[in-house]
Structure formats: structure tokens, C-alpha cells
Amino acid sequence: DTAVSQTPKYLVTQMGNDKSIKCEQNLGHDTMYWYKQDSKKFLKIMFSYNNKELIINETVPNRFSPKSPDKAHLNLHINSLELGDSAVYFCASSHVPGTDTYEQYFGPGTRLTVT
Amino acid sequence: KQEVTQIPAALSVPEGENLVLNCSFTDSAIYNLQWFRQDPGKGLTSLLLIQSSQREQTSGRLNASLDKSSGRSTLYIAASQPGDSATYLCAVKVGNEKLTFGTGTRLTIIP
């Protein structure tokens, strides 16, 4: 019954590799997000998709490419991984169409370690 | 640019005490404000959502208030318990659906 799920939970990889993180929500929301939480625990928005369309792209390197195959899924692909990409990445979703409520629900996070 | 600040960064209180966590934001044109808790190594759990037209929301021992004009919100926790120990984050939503997060308050309840 997990509302927002992410896979994998942990990801350890070497510099220069390409990796993907998957996110799925079963809440019927039409908006999904990717956030990055750095080593100082600060959370910052990276991308937001509404009905499979990109609506927010916050100064993120081109090596990061989100993909939304449908409203329930938002995946994050990262090319040429760098040490500075090590962080916890959170997926979130919000907004049931036809309502005014934009409460965001978060996934459990993916801890990415680049060595 | 919206900036969200939470003070203090860390707080320790004895079990059973009531406590208040503070959140301030620089731009009062918010759509809503949301309080979360984050346990170590875990994701975020939504606690309370206050719409911009509301003054407060309550859930169990938690009460969140919002004063948009002064750019402040407080989270009141009554009769604190060790299980309340976590990092508490506030976040404000602006018109383009982006949540801007505060830096968090790490709360420790001492048994």
C-alpha cells in the first residue's frame, strides 16, 4: 500500500557511470517531483512534472534527465556520475485533479553514493 | 527569491513538556505551508498542511499556525514523547508548485 515508492533504496557506483532511479505513486496525483537532499540535510527541488510535462527545472546539470512515461511514474537518469552527485534523492507527488489540495507526499529516498 | 528559515537548528527538551518550533519565510505570497518530520535515514512524513487562507491546523498533539503577513509559522507539540524525536521541516509552496524547504529543527525528547 506504499503511496510513493522509489527503487533502488541504495545505489553505490563509480564516477563516470550512468544510473537511473525509478519512482511510482498510486495516489492518483497528477504532479511529481524530484528533490535532492545534500550532506547538510538541505532539501532542494530539482524537477517537477505535471501530467507528464516538465514544469520546473531548477538549474540542474544536463547530466540529469527526468522522464515521465505516465502520470504515475517519474524516473531520473543521471549520466557521467560525479562525486558531488552523492546525496539522497527523494521523489514526491501531489494534487488530485479537481481538488485544491497540493499536499506533497514523499517517497523513502534513494541514497546515491558515487565513489 | 523565497527563503525559509527554521530556528533553532536543534532543540532538546524533557519528555512531557510542550514545545514550539519556528519557521519564517521571506515572501508572504505563498499558496500553502506544510510541516514534515524526517526520521534518520528515512523519507519525509507530512504532518500538517495549512492553506494560505487558514490560520491553523490541528492533528492530535500537533498544532500548526500560520501568519502570512509576518511570514511566520509555528508548530506546537503538546506533551512531548520520545517518539517525537526527529528532524522537523517546514516548506512553503509558491504558485509554480515548487516547495521551498527550511533548514530543519532537530528535536530530541529526553526520557
Side-chain angles (χ1 to χ4, degrees):
Chain A
D1 270 45
T2 305
V4 183
S5 59
Q6 295 178 229
T7 54
K9 188 166 183 178
Y10 299 97
L11 186 52
V12 181
T13 188
Q14 291 182 327
M15 284 176 55
N17 285 348
D18 303 338
K19 290 293 179 185
S20 291
I21 308 172
K22 295 186 176 181
C23 178
E24 176 180 3
Q25 55 94 5
N26 62 5
L27 296 167
H29 291 160
D30 62 7
T31 306
M32 296 184 72
Y33 313 80
W34 277 110
Y35 289 86
K36 179 179 180 181
Q37 188 171 44
D38 60 25
S39 56
K40 295 182 179 178
K41 307 298 183 187
F42 187 63
L43 262 164
K44 191 173 179 184
I45 184 80
M46 297 174 69
F47 301 102
S48 174
Y49 270 72
N50 177 264
N51 284 315
K52 302 192 299 176
E53 287 193 20
L54 180 67
I55 56 172
I56 296 174
N57 182 343
E58 288 280 310
T59 323
V60 179
N62 291 337
R63 299 182 294 103
F64 291 79
S65 53
K67 284 186 173 52
S68 182
D70 55 59
K71 286 195 299 185
H73 296 83
L74 180 63
N75 304 322
L76 183 65
H77 189 76
I78 315 170
N79 290 326
S80 304
L81 278 155
E82 300 177 358
L83 292 176
D85 297 332
S86 296
V88 182
Y89 293 84
F90 287 100
C91 176
S93 73
S94 73
H95 192 237
V96 175
T99 71
D100 272 346
T101 303
Y102 288 85
E103 185 170 6
Q104 290 200 15
Y105 293 82
F106 280 71
T110 295
R111 182 175 295 276
L112 171 65
T113 303
V114 182
T115 62
Chain B
K1 179 186 170 187
Q2 180 72 269
E3 291 184 4
V4 183
T5 305
Q6 291 183 247
I7 295 173
L11 180 65
S12 294
V13 300
E15 180 179 0
E17 284 197 3
N18 304 326
L19 60 101
V20 175
L21 306 180
N22 297 295
C23 172
S24 61
F25 45 95
T26 55
D27 185 348
S28 61
I30 64 170
Y31 188 88
N32 64 37
L33 184 144
Q34 202 166 346
W35 280 95
F36 297 87
R37 72 174 276 169
Q38 185 175 25
D39 294 281
K42 307 280 183 168
L44 279 70
T45 301
S46 178
L47 298 173
L48 289 164
L49 172 76
I50 311 177
Q51 302 285 11
S52 64
S53 58
Q54 297 174 324
R55 299 283 292 185
E56 67 176 347
Q57 282 285 341
T58 298
S59 175
R61 294 182 294 108
L62 305 180
N63 176 277
S65 69
L66 175 63
D67 183 343
K68 259 183 41 173
S69 59
S70 66
R72 293 183 182 181
S73 175
T74 62
L75 179 67
Y76 175 83
I77 303 177
S80 57
Q81 303 171 359
D84 295 330
S85 297
T87 295
Y88 289 79
L89 295 158
C90 73
V92 296
K93 178 181 176 298
V94 294
N96 64 354
E97 310 226 19
K98 179 173 78 170
L99 270 185
T100 301
F101 277 85
T103 45
T105 295
R106 190 171 69 252
L107 176 65
T108 303
I109 305 300
I110 305 164

